[in-house]
Amino acid sequence: LLTLDNKHEWYLDDVSATDTTSTDMISNGDFEGSTLGAWTTGTCSPNPPGLSNSRAKSSLHSYRNRCQSQSLT
């Protein structure tokens, strides 16, 4: 689920990618861990990306990015 709030803010939740045996290849795709774990967020100031308790699809947390200019790789 990708939710866009405004032109500089977006949320991501319930990310999944499976191989041919239906094994999930994404770790912490529901963002329910206490940290982002292996997710790379880049840098952004003054609003660093991170976990959010709003806009979650089916659980308590989602990933939020509020950068005004950032290149995602």
Side-chain angles (χ1 to χ4, degrees):
L1 173 68
L2 177 64
T3 305
L4 303 174
D5 257 11
N6 60 50
K7 78 178 198 180
H8 299 299
E9 185 170 20
W10 52 272
Y11 297 81
L12 185 65
D13 197 13
D14 291 343
V15 178
S16 176
T18 56
D19 66 10
T20 57
T21 64
S22 297
T23 300
D24 196 349
M25 305 302 289
I26 304 284
S27 175
N28 195 24
D30 60 2
F31 300 99
E32 291 308 304
S34 59
T35 67
L36 288 173
W39 286 91
T40 302
T41 61
T43 58
C44 183
S45 181
N47 303 307
L51 294 175
S52 172
N53 61 357
S54 62
R55 305 281 193 249
K57 180 182 178 202
S58 61
S59 52
L60 297 175
H61 296 102
S62 61
Y63 169 82
R64 179 185 69 190
N65 188 306
R66 297 188 314 176
C67 290
Q68 292 186 9
S69 68
Q70 177 182 9
S71 296
L72 298 177
T73 58

